[in-house]
Amino acid sequence: YRYGQLIEINSHSLFSKWFSESGKLVTKMFQKIQDLIDDKDALVFVLIDEVESLTASRNACRAGAEPSDAIRVVNAVLTQIDQIKRHSNVVILTTSNITEKIDVAFVDRADIKQYIGPPSVAAIFKIYLSCLEELMKCQIIYPRQQLLTLRELEMIGFIENNVSKLSLLLSDISRKSEGLSGRVLRKLPFLAHALYVQAPTVTIEGFLQALSLAVDKQFEERQKLSACV
């Protein structure tokens, strides 16, 4: 293929307040995708986020838990997917946080079903490290100090010294953050600065302390929300 195309679809944008209009919008969207697929030099990726909005279980619809128009949407999606999957230059990717709501017929059409859980400790460390590097670049964290990667910490056996001390602290914070989503992890450095720094610049030691407090606060708020449910 000479080039690739990524088409990202927001499921909610395909719903209309007018009866039967949503199914027509889905069909029109797939017709535009078909136009791109017709170019055999292009490899087309279609990403449907929150796919459960378009593929809600029809059993729930029949039971009256969902509006009847939702059945038309599911049928339109299934029909259109069957039509375009015959082409070798298209890959359909979907995401969902509530997979139990997805129609079985749609799930059966998926060649690969992959569970992606919260980031691992190693991934969390990399997320935090990239955030810290950006903050040091902007001189919000000042003076700039070199942090070791997780691989470099492993190579020295996680032994604490003047060079590794701050990186080991970041590793501890990463382990404490396990279970948080990537979206939350990206927000935590901002929240740490807003809630616990409140100064134009901060040392990296001070920022890591603030980040640790922000992680603790995040889990406390989670517990409070769980208790309210």
Side-chain angles (χ1 to χ4, degrees):
Y1 302 104
R2 290 195 299 108
Y3 66 96
Q5 291 236 26
L6 173 63
I7 304 167
E8 188 171 356
I9 298 170
N10 182 351
S11 302
H12 301 291
S13 66
L14 296 173
F15 283 91
S16 171
K17 64 180 179 179
W18 306 109
F19 185 77
S20 81
E21 187 67 22
S22 299
K24 294 177 183 177
L25 289 174
V26 169
T27 302
K28 188 179 294 184
M29 175 196 69
F30 275 97
Q31 286 173 348
K32 292 181 179 179
I33 294 172
Q34 181 66 56
D35 292 339
L36 297 173
I37 296 171
D38 288 340
D39 183 356
K40 297 307 177 184
D41 288 330
L43 178 59
V44 180
F45 293 89
V46 180
L47 174 60
I48 307 175
D49 193 22
E50 297 180 343
V51 72
E52 70 277 356
S53 299
L54 293 177
T55 57
S57 173
R58 286 170 291 184
N59 288 332
C61 298
R62 294 188 187 101
E66 296 288 346
S68 59
D69 196 33
I71 296 179
R72 295 173 183 265
V73 173
V74 178
N75 290 339
V77 170
L78 295 177
T79 300
Q80 295 301 322
I81 285 178
D82 285 340
Q83 289 181 4
I84 70 171
K85 74 176 184 180
R86 295 174 296 177
H87 299 271
S88 60
N89 63 327
V90 61
V91 179
I92 300 175
L93 309 168
T94 65
T95 66
S96 176
N97 288 328
I98 43 177
T99 53
E100 68 275 7
K101 297 293 185 180
I102 299 176
D103 193 273
V104 175
F106 179 82
V107 176
D108 288 342
R109 283 166 167 78
D111 296 317
I112 299 174
K113 295 175 277 288
Q114 180 69 51
Y115 171 75
I116 301 175
S120 64
V121 173
I124 293 170
F125 186 93
K126 289 182 179 180
I127 290 172
Y128 283 154
L129 187 60
S130 66
C131 291
L132 291 172
E133 289 290 343
E134 186 64 29
L135 290 171
M136 285 189 282
K137 182 179 178 181
C138 299
Q139 295 189 342
I140 293 174
I141 295 177
Y142 187 84
R144 187 184 186 95
Q145 291 183 253
Q146 183 65 38
L147 290 170
L148 301 179
T149 64
L150 200 58
R151 175 62 177 162
E152 289 169 334
L153 288 175
E154 291 172 351
M155 290 176 65
I156 64 172
F158 292 92
I159 296 173
E160 183 174 339
N161 54 41
N162 291 335
V163 176
S164 66
K165 182 178 179 180
L166 294 174
S167 300
L168 288 171
L169 178 56
L170 182 59
S171 177
D172 291 339
I173 296 172
S174 300
R175 281 194 293 272
K176 187 166 64 169
S177 304
E178 193 171 10
L180 298 176
S181 70
R183 187 178 290 108
V184 171
L185 292 168
R186 281 288 180 187
K187 290 179 182 178
L188 279 175
F190 167 77
L191 292 174
H193 188 274
L195 296 175
Y196 301 109
V197 176
Q198 299 176 347
T201 60
V202 61
T203 63
I204 193 165
E205 294 93 338
F207 189 84
L208 288 175
Q209 290 174 5
L211 182 59
S212 181
L213 291 172
V215 172
D216 291 338
K217 183 176 178 61
Q218 188 67 38
F219 280 106
E220 288 174 8
E221 290 177 348
R222 266 191 168 193
Q223 290 179 348
K224 291 177 182 178
L225 287 172
S226 299
C228 293
V229 175

